[in-house]
Amino acid sequence: VWEALELLDTYVDDSDPDTNLSQLMHSLQTAEAVRKKYPGEEYDWYHLTGLIHDMGKFLGAVYGEKQWCVVGDTFPVGCKHSPKIEFSEFFSLNPDFHDEKMKMELGVYDKNCGLKNVHMSYGHDEYLYQVCIQNKSTLPKQALYIIRYHSFYPWHKEGQYMHLCDDEDVRMLKWVKDFNQFDLYSKAAEIPNKKELIKYYKGLIDKYFPKVLTW
């Protein structure tokens, strides 16, 4: 995991207007902001989540995927698009836009089917979530929701798509909302001291992940 983070040290997310720092520096800023507000050991999973939340951008940094299919907002496909999605005006160029079923609020889904049953636009969130699941990370469910849905701004910021959520989604929403303050507002000019922090975070990586991951 730490080696993967190191590979992000030269990757800058062009869609992020708030920082020109590398993804590694942003990750450390986010983790330390979480740790400052939630310092207890019982929240060490939250500290680690802050550190790795954008690690799915490995897709761009290592595999060379274009930023348009790695970063930015995520949203459900297979149903009516919310106008709260960034650049939603371009959806008219998608053939699905003219499919009558896709124009319906529920589209191909059942009411309150749960986000786990909803197909989302693919990006760094879903990629990292799958890395965690398939490598049997022991991070708690709150962490996995944050990783999978922190870019789903139409949901956690704008209150859209609640008709697709089940009870578990509603319970987990507060954690995704809480994390947003650290993701967006921890981007200061001060650069974290990586050498001072590496021991602590490597210890958390060892606690919640196997030594070697399949990517």
Side-chain angles (χ1 to χ4, degrees):
V1 172
W2 186 265
E3 287 78 5
L5 286 166
E6 292 274 13
L7 290 170
L8 295 178
D9 208 14
T10 59
Y11 191 79
V12 176
D13 182 347
D14 293 338
S15 74
D16 191 336
D18 299 321
T19 184
N20 289 317
L21 293 177
S22 73
Q23 282 301 305
L24 177 56
M25 289 298 105
H26 165 56
S27 296
L28 285 168
Q29 282 185 334
T30 304
E32 285 297 282
V34 173
R35 190 178 173 192
K36 184 177 181 180
K37 184 170 181 180
Y38 295 93
E41 185 179 347
E42 68 271 25
Y43 293 110
D44 65 357
W45 63 267
Y46 205 178
H47 309 163
L48 181 58
T49 302
L51 182 72
I52 68 170
H53 75 283
D54 273 345
M55 199 168 65
K57 292 175 184 178
F58 190 88
L59 283 172
V62 177
Y63 293 125
E65 295 285 355
K66 300 295 185 183
Q67 291 213 5
W68 66 265
C69 60
V70 176
V71 303
D73 290 9
T74 57
F75 50 87
V77 297
C79 62
K80 183 178 179 181
H81 291 116
S82 166
K84 299 293 185 180
I85 301 169
E86 289 291 333
F87 302 115
S88 59
E89 63 270 22
F90 293 103
F91 286 136
S92 61
L93 301 175
N94 186 326
D96 283 351
F97 183 83
H98 305 287
D99 185 312
E100 290 303 316
K101 189 170 184 64
M102 302 301 180
K103 290 182 179 181
M104 299 173 65
E105 186 176 58
L106 290 174
V108 300
Y109 306 111
D110 296 324
K111 187 174 176 61
N112 303 125
C113 62
L115 293 180
K116 61 182 175 291
N117 295 310
V118 172
H119 293 287
M120 301 289 292
S121 59
Y122 199 77
H124 70 279
D125 299 39
E126 183 66 21
Y127 175 65
L128 181 58
Y129 170 78
Q130 293 297 335
V131 168
C132 292
I133 293 297
Q134 294 182 35
N135 285 282
K136 296 180 169 53
S137 167
T138 56
L139 283 168
K141 187 164 289 184
Q142 300 96 310
L144 296 175
Y145 260 80
I146 290 168
I147 288 167
R148 195 176 198 182
Y149 299 117
H150 69 272
S151 297
F152 187 11
Y153 284 95
W155 178 52
H156 66 74
K157 182 182 179 184
E158 304 291 349
Q160 304 290 292
Y161 298 105
M162 294 303 295
H163 55 282
L164 298 177
C165 296
D166 61 16
D167 290 344
E168 181 176 72
D169 298 326
V170 174
R171 289 195 303 271
M172 292 293 125
L173 177 57
K174 67 178 182 181
W175 285 103
V176 183
K177 283 177 171 287
D178 187 71
F179 178 74
N180 191 52
Q181 65 183 300
F182 307 116
D183 190 16
L184 291 186
Y185 305 115
S186 63
K187 299 168 184 174
E190 183 179 349
I191 298 176
N193 189 320
K194 184 169 67 173
K195 288 184 178 179
E196 291 181 358
L197 299 173
I198 189 170
K199 182 178 180 181
Y200 176 70
Y201 287 107
K202 278 191 171 181
L204 297 186
I205 290 167
D206 289 342
K207 179 177 178 180
Y208 289 103
F209 283 94
K211 290 291 184 184
V212 178
L213 272 63
T214 300
W215 292 88

